[in-house]
Amino acid sequence: MLPNLSELGAKPPQRPVTPPKAPTPSPPKQQQQQQHQPPTLRKVSMEYPEDPWNAPDLHKGHNHGPLEHSTGHNGAADVPRSVANDLNGNDAVSYSTSPEVTTTSSALPGRTTSTFTTSQPPSGPSSIHNVAESIQESNGAWNYFPGSSSGGGFGEPADNAITGPFGDSGGPGQSVSGSVGGSNPNRSIGHVRSGSNVEENILVTLMPEKEGVFMFQHHNYEVSSIRRGSKVVRRYSDFVWLLDCLHKRYPFRVLPLLPPKRVAFNGNHLSNDGAFIEKRRRGLARFLNALVRHPVLGQEQLVIMFLTVPTELSVWRKQATISVQDEFTGRTLPPGLEDSLPPTLEELFARTRVGVRRSAELYISTCTIMDRLIKRSEGVAADHARMAVSLISLTETSADTYATDHNDVPLLNDGLQAMGRHLRTAQTLMEDEAKAWEEGVLEDLKRQRDALVSLRDMFDRRDRLDKDNIPFLQRRIETNEAKLQALNAKPEGMVKPGEKERVVEAIIKDKESIVTQHNRSVFVKECIRDELRFFQNTQYNVSRLTQDWAQERVKYSEMLADNWRRLLDDLEGMPLGD
């Protein structure tokens, strides 16, 4: 179980007051539905219902060489329409901060993609457009972008700080500037949420063409930052190199996860599967955004270089001098730091670790379930389209079927055609909602899952790397001190030249090593304490993603209900034989 706010010294969040919801305008009666072209049935893939990297163990043991081996096409033709569009270079994972109505653009496409919620209504707007506009005037629930991080690292206390269990002033969101996931100032329904400023958002776009020859082809990704005004091209092995360097330099920080290079499914590698490539692109975007939003990792020169240097990374690495020393190397222990760490800190670490481990398992399962829900929703939408085609086809046979009396056949056909039109409308809305889930709540759940798994891995790394041999050194010092006393007791001529000096030098080195290892242990505790403070803010991400998902469901439920109400109006003229 994770420590609560009172234990971590955080102030309970003040929930904003929700103003009353504006009434939805009632749909006008007897409006003619705009004609839709028969849609192309989407191929709904159920072959990969689970997240391909639901645990970091899948990433272990991969040989990330200088080249990514791949064969064949990229599989974009075999994936659903929405994913295929993203594979052609349109980055679907993006966020809007504008208070106006969300619209789709090539630079920052919104998460909601249907014509009902992104297009301007035609002349004589239908009531479904009115519902969409009334909802989106306060902006879409998924079109948000995490909060800001201003200021330096963890050691900068804020004003009005309170004392927490960590032993010094400051709590989550105070001494640690900013937040992990940030706030969502835009709500699709209801009030506007208060929050911090907009953080940097890194976009990762799959380049349309592969590089390399035959068996040694690899994908490239365009990494762009509007805030930095930079666009660089990186490949997957560059991301792996960056993470390896960060593991050496910051072993006790919460380092984000990388998606795997490839995943085997029934013995077959899926590195060329279009759906997997798209998931990997989104995983790379989550990786970079987690780095730049971290108050320490975001200031690391390797990270800044990775995002801004336009040179090919393999060429830059040969020319640059890169230091991957442990961040604690050469640091002097500040006076009073050790005393500021409470004696119960290790107990808090152990308790948090248990809760994080269990929460990570549950979020991995939740992401898998959400992915299946999206696939099922896409399948239901496709069945609505098939139903519409069948009903329209019935109108072609009605005259022959009811050849005895043709008088009511035109009215019957009008009703069937209206049913087909509204089924297509429902199909589009369902596809749009599934797309919003995929790019909205599922990405938010994966971000929370990644944060938990990263914290879990940090504790595991501490078990491996935060070890010392101080007891052994203390015993050796005692032995050498006894030896030195014995040498001092001997007559001057009985002692070999330089023997005393060697013993004294060994004692001094061992004592210096004890001090260095002890100081490093203190730094590690402080580092993990700060990482827990930073992680504490992810609880607000959970609140936001659940609230936004619920609001998204309300939005589409209202639009679907309006669609069926309008269908009832269109069916009033069907013959009943009264």
Side-chain angles (χ1 to χ4, degrees):
M1 179 182 296
L2 289 173
N4 55 38
L5 287 175
S6 62
E7 293 176 319
L8 290 175
K11 295 180 179 179
Q14 298 295 325
R15 295 185 61 83
V17 179
T18 306
K21 175 182 172 183
T24 303
S26 59
K29 301 291 184 179
Q30 301 295 343
Q31 282 192 334
Q32 183 63 29
Q33 169 72 16
Q34 182 183 3
Q35 295 291 335
H36 294 274
Q37 295 298 327
T40 303
L41 297 183
R42 298 178 62 174
K43 179 180 178 181
V44 181
S45 174
M46 295 295 291
E47 296 176 348
Y48 319 113
E50 298 185 1
D51 191 327
W53 51 91
N54 59 358
D57 293 336
L58 292 173
H59 190 51
K60 296 178 180 178
H62 293 156
N63 182 18
H64 303 295
L67 292 175
E68 297 181 38
H69 307 286
S70 58
T71 58
H73 61 83
N74 60 9
D78 298 328
V79 300
R81 181 179 63 214
S82 58
V83 177
N85 291 337
D86 295 335
L87 293 176
N88 291 330
N90 299 325
D91 186 9
V93 183
S94 58
Y95 307 87
S96 170
T97 57
S98 171
E100 286 89 9
V101 177
T102 306
T103 56
T104 303
S105 65
S106 58
L108 287 173
R111 285 178 168 178
T112 302
T113 56
S114 91
T115 56
F116 294 109
T117 53
T118 57
S119 300
Q120 294 295 329
S123 58
S126 64
S127 59
I128 215 168
H129 281 111
N130 295 336
V131 174
E133 289 174 355
S134 66
I135 293 169
Q136 287 223 333
E137 282 176 356
S138 55
N139 217 334
W142 296 116
N143 299 326
Y144 75 93
F145 187 84
S148 69
S149 173
S150 59
F154 288 119
E156 302 178 3
D159 296 334
N160 302 321
I162 61 175
T163 302
F166 295 117
D168 55 358
S169 62
Q174 294 175 342
S175 66
V176 182
S177 181
S179 65
V180 177
S183 65
N184 176 2
N186 306 315
R187 303 292 290 270
S188 63
I189 300 172
H191 62 274
V192 176
R193 191 201 308 275
S194 61
S196 52
N197 296 328
V198 174
E199 270 191 340
E200 180 177 9
N201 188 48
I202 305 298
L203 302 180
V204 178
T205 308
L206 180 69
M207 303 293 283
E209 299 294 334
K210 291 184 180 180
E211 281 192 358
V213 293
F214 193 49
M215 294 289 292
F216 301 97
Q217 290 184 326
H218 64 271
H219 291 283
N220 283 333
Y221 300 90
E222 182 184 74
V223 178
S224 58
S225 170
I226 296 178
R227 173 172 292 184
R228 301 174 191 267
S230 62
K231 283 188 178 181
V232 297
V233 177
R234 299 288 182 250
R235 54 186 297 182
Y236 180 80
S237 58
D238 296 335
F239 288 84
V240 175
W241 171 82
L242 175 62
L243 183 58
D244 288 342
C245 291
L246 294 177
H247 270 283
K248 294 175 183 177
R249 180 153 174 75
Y250 300 100
F252 304 106
R253 299 284 179 187
V254 176
L255 299 174
L257 304 179
L258 267 182
K261 179 177 181 178
R262 61 184 66 193
V263 171
F265 186 80
N266 291 336
N268 300 318
H269 286 291
L270 306 180
S271 59
N272 292 312
D273 176 76
F276 169 73
I277 293 298
E278 171 61 12
K279 286 187 176 183
R280 188 171 71 179
R281 182 194 67 78
R282 293 181 181 178
L284 295 175
R286 290 196 304 273
F287 169 80
L288 289 180
N289 280 297
L291 283 180
V292 299
R293 293 166 187 174
H294 192 284
V296 174
L297 301 177
Q299 305 301 319
E300 167 60 38
Q301 289 301 311
L302 282 175
V303 176
I304 296 174
M305 173 282 307
F306 187 89
L307 298 173
T308 56
V309 173
T311 311
E312 186 178 346
L313 197 61
S314 59
V315 177
W316 182 87
R317 286 162 55 184
K318 296 177 181 177
Q319 302 171 350
T321 302
I322 302 171
S323 173
V324 290
Q325 272 190 330
D326 190 302
E327 63 173 322
F328 306 131
T329 301
R331 284 184 58 183
T332 303
L333 188 67
L337 174 60
E338 184 175 4
D339 295 335
S340 69
L341 300 177
T344 58
L345 202 56
E346 287 293 344
E347 180 182 349
L348 182 64
F349 290 168
R351 180 183 176 189
T352 302
R353 185 176 186 179
V354 172
V356 165
R357 184 179 299 276
R358 178 58 179 156
S359 296
E361 295 172 354
L362 293 173
Y363 267 98
I364 290 171
S365 175
T366 302
C367 290
T368 301
I369 295 170
M370 190 67 211
D371 196 57
R372 287 203 294 261
L373 285 174
I374 292 170
K375 297 297 186 296
R376 291 193 182 108
S377 183
E378 291 175 344
V380 171
D383 285 341
H384 276 66
R386 297 184 183 99
M387 185 75 172
V389 171
S390 297
L391 292 178
I392 296 299
S393 299
L394 280 175
T395 62
E396 301 172 0
T397 63
S398 294
D400 294 335
T401 303
Y402 303 103
T404 304
D405 186 353
H406 293 277
N407 292 330
D408 292 331
V409 168
L411 295 176
L412 182 67
N413 286 346
D414 289 343
L416 292 175
Q417 289 173 353
M419 189 70 181
R421 289 195 304 269
H422 286 274
L423 282 170
R424 293 194 197 104
T425 300
Q427 173 217 356
T428 307
L429 286 172
M430 290 178 183
E431 287 178 344
D432 186 35
E433 185 176 19
K435 182 76 172 180
W437 289 4
E438 184 178 17
E439 298 171 6
V441 64
L442 181 58
E443 281 299 303
D444 291 339
L445 287 171
K446 287 182 177 181
R447 185 174 61 185
Q448 185 69 12
R449 175 204 66 187
D450 291 352
L452 287 161
V453 174
S454 297
L455 189 62
R456 182 191 69 186
D457 291 349
M458 181 196 70
F459 281 116
D460 293 342
R461 286 196 301 273
R462 188 195 181 198
D463 289 345
R464 299 193 310 269
L465 303 177
D466 186 24
K467 295 181 178 180
D468 59 60
N469 59 342
I470 291 178
F472 170 76
L473 294 176
Q474 290 175 337
R475 290 193 298 269
R476 192 164 70 178
I477 290 174
E478 293 174 357
T479 301
N480 286 333
E481 287 178 343
K483 183 177 181 181
L484 182 61
Q485 290 179 357
L487 291 174
N488 290 331
K490 290 183 179 180
E492 191 69 26
M494 299 295 293
V495 179
K496 295 180 180 179
E499 187 173 1
K500 289 184 179 180
E501 289 76 7
R502 285 193 296 272
V503 174
V504 170
E505 184 179 357
I507 293 174
I508 293 174
K509 286 184 178 180
D510 287 345
K511 288 184 177 180
E512 290 177 348
S513 179
I514 288 176
V515 172
T516 301
Q517 294 184 40
H518 175 74
N519 292 348
R520 186 174 186 273
S521 177
V522 175
F523 284 132
V524 169
K525 287 184 180 180
E526 180 199 26
C527 180
I528 294 178
R529 177 201 66 180
D530 293 341
E531 291 298 316
L532 288 184
R533 284 179 174 173
F534 184 61
F535 170 79
Q536 185 73 10
N537 289 312
T538 62
Q539 64 184 310
Y540 309 127
N541 296 344
V542 179
S543 303
R544 293 174 189 122
L545 76 89
T546 52
Q547 291 175 7
D548 292 340
W549 186 30
Q551 291 175 358
E552 195 81 4
R553 296 302 305 269
V554 170
K555 177 177 71 174
Y556 283 100
S557 296
E558 289 179 349
M559 296 171 73
L560 283 167
D562 183 75
N563 177 54
W564 300 124
R565 282 193 294 266
R566 295 177 64 250
L567 174 60
L568 286 175
D569 295 339
D570 292 345
L571 298 180
E572 286 181 355
M574 293 188 72
L576 298 177
D578 296 338

